[in-house]
CSV table of all heavy atoms in Angstrom, one decimal:
chain,number,residue,atom,x,y,z
A,94,ASP,N,2.4,-0.4,-4.0
A,94,ASP,CA,1.1,0.2,-4.6
A,94,ASP,C,1.1,0.2,-6.1
A,94,ASP,O,0.8,1.2,-6.7
A,94,ASP,CB,0.8,1.5,-4.0
A,94,ASP,CG,1.9,2.6,-4.3
A,94,ASP,OD1,3.1,2.3,-4.0
A,94,ASP,OD2,1.5,3.7,-4.6
A,95,GLU,N,1.3,-0.9,-6.7
A,95,GLU,CA,1.2,-0.9,-8.2
A,95,GLU,C,-0.3,-0.8,-8.6
A,95,GLU,O,-0.6,-0.3,-9.6
A,95,GLU,CB,1.9,-2.2,-8.8
A,95,GLU,CG,3.3,-2.2,-8.9
A,95,GLU,CD,4.1,-2.0,-7.6
A,95,GLU,OE1,3.7,-2.4,-6.5
A,95,GLU,OE2,5.3,-1.5,-7.7
A,96,ALA,N,-1.2,-1.4,-7.8
A,96,ALA,CA,-2.6,-1.2,-8.0
A,96,ALA,C,-3.0,-0.3,-6.8
A,96,ALA,O,-2.3,0.0,-5.8
A,96,ALA,CB,-3.3,-2.5,-7.9
A,97,PRO,N,-4.3,0.3,-6.9
A,97,PRO,CA,-4.7,1.2,-5.8
A,97,PRO,C,-4.7,0.5,-4.4
A,97,PRO,O,-5.1,-0.7,-4.3
A,97,PRO,CB,-6.1,1.5,-6.2
A,97,PRO,CG,-6.1,1.4,-7.7
A,97,PRO,CD,-5.2,0.2,-8.0
A,98,VAL,N,-4.3,1.2,-3.5
A,98,VAL,CA,-4.4,0.8,-2.0
A,98,VAL,C,-5.3,1.9,-1.4
A,98,VAL,O,-4.9,3.1,-1.3
A,98,VAL,CB,-3.1,0.7,-1.3
A,98,VAL,CG1,-3.2,0.4,0.2
A,98,VAL,CG2,-2.3,-0.4,-2.0
A,99,THR,N,-6.4,1.5,-0.8
A,99,THR,CA,-7.3,2.4,-0.3
A,99,THR,C,-7.5,2.0,1.2
A,99,THR,O,-7.8,0.9,1.6
A,99,THR,CB,-8.8,2.3,-0.9
A,99,THR,OG1,-8.6,2.6,-2.3
A,99,THR,CG2,-9.7,3.3,-0.3
A,100,ILE,N,-7.2,3.0,2.1
A,100,ILE,CA,-7.2,2.8,3.5
A,100,ILE,C,-8.3,3.8,4.1
A,100,ILE,O,-8.2,5.0,3.8
A,100,ILE,CB,-5.9,3.2,4.2
A,100,ILE,CG1,-4.8,2.2,3.7
A,100,ILE,CG2,-5.9,3.1,5.7
A,100,ILE,CD1,-3.4,2.5,4.1
A,101,GLY,N,-9.3,3.3,4.8
A,101,GLY,CA,-10.4,4.1,5.2
A,101,GLY,C,-10.2,5.1,6.3
A,101,GLY,O,-9.1,5.4,6.6
A,102,ASN,N,-11.2,5.6,6.9
A,102,ASN,CA,-11.2,6.5,8.0
A,102,ASN,C,-11.1,5.7,9.3
A,102,ASN,O,-11.6,4.6,9.5
A,102,ASN,CB,-12.5,7.3,8.1
A,102,ASN,CG,-12.7,8.1,6.9
A,102,ASN,OD1,-11.8,8.8,6.4
A,102,ASN,ND2,-14.0,8.0,6.3
A,103,HIS,N,-10.4,6.3,10.3
A,103,HIS,CA,-10.3,5.8,11.7
A,103,HIS,C,-9.6,4.4,11.6
A,103,HIS,O,-10.0,3.4,12.3
A,103,HIS,CB,-11.7,5.7,12.3
A,103,HIS,CG,-12.3,7.1,12.5
A,103,HIS,ND1,-12.0,7.9,13.5
A,103,HIS,CD2,-13.2,7.6,11.8
A,103,HIS,CE1,-12.7,9.0,13.4
A,103,HIS,NE2,-13.5,8.9,12.3
A,104,VAL,N,-8.6,4.2,10.9
A,104,VAL,CA,-7.8,3.0,10.7
A,104,VAL,C,-6.6,3.1,11.6
A,104,VAL,O,-5.9,4.1,11.6
A,104,VAL,CB,-7.5,2.6,9.4
A,104,VAL,CG1,-6.6,1.4,9.2
A,104,VAL,CG2,-8.8,2.5,8.5
A,105,PHE,N,-6.3,2.1,12.4
A,105,PHE,CA,-5.1,1.9,13.2
A,105,PHE,C,-4.2,0.8,12.5
A,105,PHE,O,-4.7,-0.3,12.5
A,105,PHE,CB,-5.4,1.5,14.6
A,105,PHE,CG,-6.1,2.6,15.5
A,105,PHE,CD1,-6.7,3.7,14.9
A,105,PHE,CD2,-6.1,2.4,16.9
A,105,PHE,CE1,-7.3,4.6,15.7
A,105,PHE,CE2,-6.7,3.3,17.6
A,105,PHE,CZ,-7.3,4.5,17.1
A,106,ILE,N,-3.0,1.2,12.2
A,106,ILE,CA,-2.1,0.3,11.6
A,106,ILE,C,-0.9,0.1,12.5
A,106,ILE,O,-0.2,1.1,12.7
A,106,ILE,CB,-1.7,0.6,10.1
A,106,ILE,CG1,-3.0,0.7,9.3
A,106,ILE,CG2,-0.7,-0.3,9.6
A,106,ILE,CD1,-2.7,1.1,7.8
A,107,GLY,N,-0.5,-1.0,13.0
A,107,GLY,CA,0.5,-1.3,13.8
A,107,GLY,C,1.9,-1.2,13.1
A,107,GLY,O,1.9,-1.0,11.9
A,108,PRO,N,3.0,-1.4,13.9
A,108,PRO,CA,4.3,-1.3,13.2
A,108,PRO,C,4.6,-2.5,12.4
A,108,PRO,O,4.0,-3.6,12.6
A,108,PRO,CB,5.2,-1.3,14.5
A,108,PRO,CG,4.4,-1.9,15.6
A,108,PRO,CD,3.0,-1.6,15.3
A,109,ASN,N,5.4,-2.3,11.4
A,109,ASN,CA,6.0,-3.4,10.6
A,109,ASN,C,4.9,-4.1,9.7
A,109,ASN,O,5.0,-5.2,9.4
A,109,ASN,CB,6.7,-4.4,11.3
A,109,ASN,CG,7.9,-3.8,12.1
A,109,ASN,OD1,8.7,-3.0,11.5
A,109,ASN,ND2,7.9,-4.0,13.4
A,110,VAL,N,3.9,-3.3,9.2
A,110,VAL,CA,2.8,-3.8,8.4
A,110,VAL,C,3.2,-3.7,7.0
A,110,VAL,O,3.8,-2.7,6.6
A,110,VAL,CB,1.5,-3.1,8.7
A,110,VAL,CG1,0.5,-3.5,7.7
A,110,VAL,CG2,1.0,-3.5,10.1
A,111,SER,N,2.9,-4.7,6.2
A,111,SER,CA,3.2,-4.7,4.8
A,111,SER,C,1.9,-5.0,4.0
A,111,SER,O,1.1,-5.9,4.3
A,111,SER,CB,4.2,-5.9,4.4
A,111,SER,OG,5.4,-5.6,5.0
A,112,ILE,N,1.6,-4.2,2.9
A,112,ILE,CA,0.5,-4.2,2.1
A,112,ILE,C,1.0,-4.4,0.7
A,112,ILE,O,1.7,-3.5,0.2
A,112,ILE,CB,-0.4,-3.0,2.2
A,112,ILE,CG1,-0.9,-2.8,3.7
A,112,ILE,CG2,-1.6,-3.1,1.3
A,112,ILE,CD1,-1.6,-1.6,3.9
A,113,PHE,N,0.7,-5.5,0.0
A,113,PHE,CA,1.2,-5.8,-1.3
A,113,PHE,C,0.1,-5.8,-2.4
A,113,PHE,O,-0.9,-6.5,-2.1
A,113,PHE,CB,1.9,-7.1,-1.3
A,113,PHE,CG,3.1,-7.3,-0.3
A,113,PHE,CD1,3.3,-8.5,0.4
A,113,PHE,CD2,3.9,-6.2,0.0
A,113,PHE,CE1,4.3,-8.7,1.3
A,113,PHE,CE2,4.9,-6.4,1.0
A,113,PHE,CZ,5.1,-7.5,1.6
A,114,THR,N,0.4,-5.2,-3.5
A,114,THR,CA,-0.6,-5.4,-4.7
A,114,THR,C,0.1,-6.1,-5.8
A,114,THR,O,-0.6,-6.6,-6.7
A,114,THR,CB,-1.1,-4.0,-5.1
A,114,THR,OG1,0.0,-3.3,-5.7
A,114,THR,CG2,-1.7,-3.3,-4.0
A,115,ALA,N,1.5,-6.1,-5.8
A,115,ALA,CA,2.2,-6.7,-7.0
A,115,ALA,C,2.1,-8.2,-7.0
A,115,ALA,O,2.2,-8.9,-6.0
A,115,ALA,CB,3.6,-6.3,-6.9
A,116,CYS,N,1.9,-8.8,-8.2
A,116,CYS,CA,1.8,-10.2,-8.4
A,116,CYS,C,2.8,-10.6,-9.6
A,116,CYS,O,3.0,-9.8,-10.5
A,116,CYS,CB,0.4,-10.6,-8.9
A,116,CYS,SG,-0.9,-10.2,-7.7
A,117,HIS,N,3.4,-11.8,-9.4
A,117,HIS,CA,4.3,-12.3,-10.4
A,117,HIS,C,3.9,-13.7,-10.8
A,117,HIS,O,3.3,-14.5,-10.0
A,117,HIS,CB,5.7,-12.4,-9.7
A,117,HIS,CG,6.2,-11.1,-9.2
A,117,HIS,ND1,6.7,-10.1,-9.9
A,117,HIS,CD2,6.1,-10.6,-7.9
A,117,HIS,CE1,6.9,-9.0,-9.2
A,117,HIS,NE2,6.6,-9.3,-7.9
A,118,PRO,N,4.2,-14.1,-12.0
A,118,PRO,CA,3.9,-15.4,-12.5
A,118,PRO,C,4.6,-16.5,-11.6
A,118,PRO,O,5.7,-16.3,-11.2
A,118,PRO,CB,4.4,-15.5,-13.9
A,118,PRO,CG,4.5,-14.0,-14.4
A,118,PRO,CD,4.8,-13.3,-13.1
A,119,LEU,N,4.0,-17.6,-11.5
A,119,LEU,CA,4.6,-18.7,-10.8
A,119,LEU,C,5.7,-19.5,-11.7
A,119,LEU,O,6.7,-19.9,-11.1
A,119,LEU,CB,3.5,-19.8,-10.4
A,119,LEU,CG,2.5,-19.4,-9.4
A,119,LEU,CD1,1.5,-20.5,-9.2
A,119,LEU,CD2,3.2,-18.9,-8.1
A,120,ASP,N,5.4,-19.5,-13.0
A,120,ASP,CA,6.4,-20.1,-13.9
A,120,ASP,C,7.6,-19.2,-14.0
A,120,ASP,O,7.5,-18.0,-14.3
A,120,ASP,CB,5.7,-20.2,-15.2
A,120,ASP,CG,6.7,-20.8,-16.2
A,120,ASP,OD1,6.9,-22.0,-16.2
A,120,ASP,OD2,7.3,-20.1,-17.1
A,121,ALA,N,8.8,-19.9,-13.8
A,121,ALA,CA,10.0,-19.1,-13.7
A,121,ALA,C,10.3,-18.4,-15.0
A,121,ALA,O,10.8,-17.2,-15.1
A,121,ALA,CB,11.2,-19.9,-13.4
A,122,GLU,N,10.1,-19.0,-16.2
A,122,GLU,CA,10.4,-18.4,-17.5
A,122,GLU,C,9.5,-17.1,-17.7
A,122,GLU,O,10.0,-16.1,-18.1
A,122,GLU,CB,10.2,-19.4,-18.6
A,122,GLU,CG,11.3,-20.4,-18.7
A,122,GLU,CD,11.2,-21.3,-19.9
A,122,GLU,OE1,10.6,-21.0,-20.9
A,122,GLU,OE2,11.5,-22.5,-19.8
A,123,GLU,N,8.2,-17.3,-17.3
A,123,GLU,CA,7.3,-16.1,-17.4
A,123,GLU,C,7.8,-15.0,-16.5
A,123,GLU,O,7.8,-13.9,-16.9
A,123,GLU,CB,5.9,-16.5,-17.1
A,123,GLU,CG,5.1,-17.2,-18.2
A,123,GLU,CD,3.7,-17.5,-17.7
A,123,GLU,OE1,2.9,-16.5,-17.7
A,123,GLU,OE2,3.4,-18.6,-17.4
A,124,ARG,N,8.1,-15.4,-15.3
A,124,ARG,CA,8.5,-14.4,-14.3
A,124,ARG,C,9.8,-13.6,-14.7
A,124,ARG,O,9.9,-12.4,-14.5
A,124,ARG,CB,8.8,-15.1,-12.9
A,124,ARG,CG,8.9,-14.2,-11.7
A,124,ARG,CD,8.9,-15.0,-10.4
A,124,ARG,NE,9.8,-16.2,-10.4
A,124,ARG,CZ,9.4,-17.4,-10.3
A,124,ARG,NH1,8.1,-17.7,-10.3
A,124,ARG,NH2,10.3,-18.4,-10.3
A,125,ASN,N,10.7,-14.3,-15.4
A,125,ASN,CA,12.0,-13.7,-15.8
A,125,ASN,C,11.7,-12.7,-17.0
A,125,ASN,O,12.7,-12.0,-17.3
A,125,ASN,CB,12.9,-14.7,-16.2
A,125,ASN,CG,13.5,-15.5,-15.1
A,125,ASN,OD1,13.3,-15.0,-13.9
A,125,ASN,ND2,13.9,-16.7,-15.2
A,126,THR,N,10.6,-12.7,-17.6
A,126,THR,CA,10.2,-11.7,-18.7
A,126,THR,C,10.1,-10.3,-18.1
A,126,THR,O,10.2,-9.4,-18.8
A,126,THR,CB,9.0,-12.1,-19.5
A,126,THR,OG1,7.8,-11.9,-18.6
A,126,THR,CG2,9.1,-13.5,-20.1
A,127,GLY,N,9.8,-10.2,-16.8
A,127,GLY,CA,9.5,-8.9,-16.1
A,127,GLY,C,8.1,-8.5,-16.2
A,127,GLY,O,7.8,-7.4,-15.8
Side-chain angles (χ1 to χ4, degrees):
D94 60 311
E95 279 65 26
V98 173
T99 304
I100 299 170
N102 299 312
H103 301 278
V104 174
F105 288 16
I106 298 179
N109 302 308
V110 168
S111 297
I112 301 170
F113 303 143
T114 67
C116 301
H117 305 278
L119 294 177
D120 180 77
E122 285 184 34
E123 283 185 72
R124 194 169 48 249
N125 291 339
T126 67

